[in-house]
Amino acid sequence: MNILRLAPASIGDVKTGHNIDHHLAQGSEAGIIDKIIIAAKSKIEEYKAQARNERDTEQVLLMDDSMLKDIGLSPTDNDSLKSGLISLGDLNARKETYPRQFN
């Protein structure tokens, strides 16, 4: 803790009636709390994205061959997805890169 920072705060406290905690909360501790909040929100968004991806993958795995063909996938793609060799995001990226192969 910075002693020079506390000294003026202590002197000011006598005149204004504020306590030292008020001054510290406006400094570095407030920045730490903001960083913790941002990190927590980021982690929550990661969990939500992972849950969406898992749900979407499960839905694709439940499709029959004709439904897979309708969305441009083959049973082999479904098997690769099921075994974890490829992700749904990778399949979608491959479809966008090589659209003629999937029609």
Side-chain angles (χ1 to χ4, degrees):
M1 197 176 289
N2 190 346
I3 294 173
L4 296 175
R5 185 173 171 196
L6 287 178
S10 298
I11 294 169
D13 292 338
V14 174
K15 293 179 183 176
T16 62
H18 291 103
N19 60 19
I20 293 175
D21 293 336
H22 173 72
H23 294 288
L24 293 176
Q26 291 178 349
S28 62
E29 290 176 359
I32 291 171
I33 292 171
D34 289 340
K35 289 179 183 178
I36 291 170
I37 291 170
I38 290 168
K41 286 180 179 180
S42 174
K43 199 62 162 170
I44 290 169
E45 289 303 316
E46 286 177 30
Y47 287 138
K48 286 180 179 180
Q50 182 180 0
R52 277 190 302 270
N53 187 40
E54 289 173 3
R55 184 184 63 239
D56 293 345
T57 300
E58 287 175 8
Q59 290 177 349
V60 171
L61 292 175
L62 294 173
M63 292 181 178
D64 62 16
D65 292 349
S66 65
M67 292 171 73
L68 289 171
K69 185 177 180 182
D70 288 344
I71 63 170
L73 297 177
S74 69
T76 305
D77 292 330
N78 204 10
D79 292 338
S80 297
L81 187 62
K82 186 183 293 185
S83 64
L85 295 174
I86 194 165
S87 70
L88 193 57
D90 291 339
L91 279 174
N92 284 329
R94 193 172 73 187
K95 280 176 57 175
E96 289 176 12
T97 304
Y98 307 104
R100 291 185 182 175
Q101 291 180 357
F102 291 93
N103 291 330

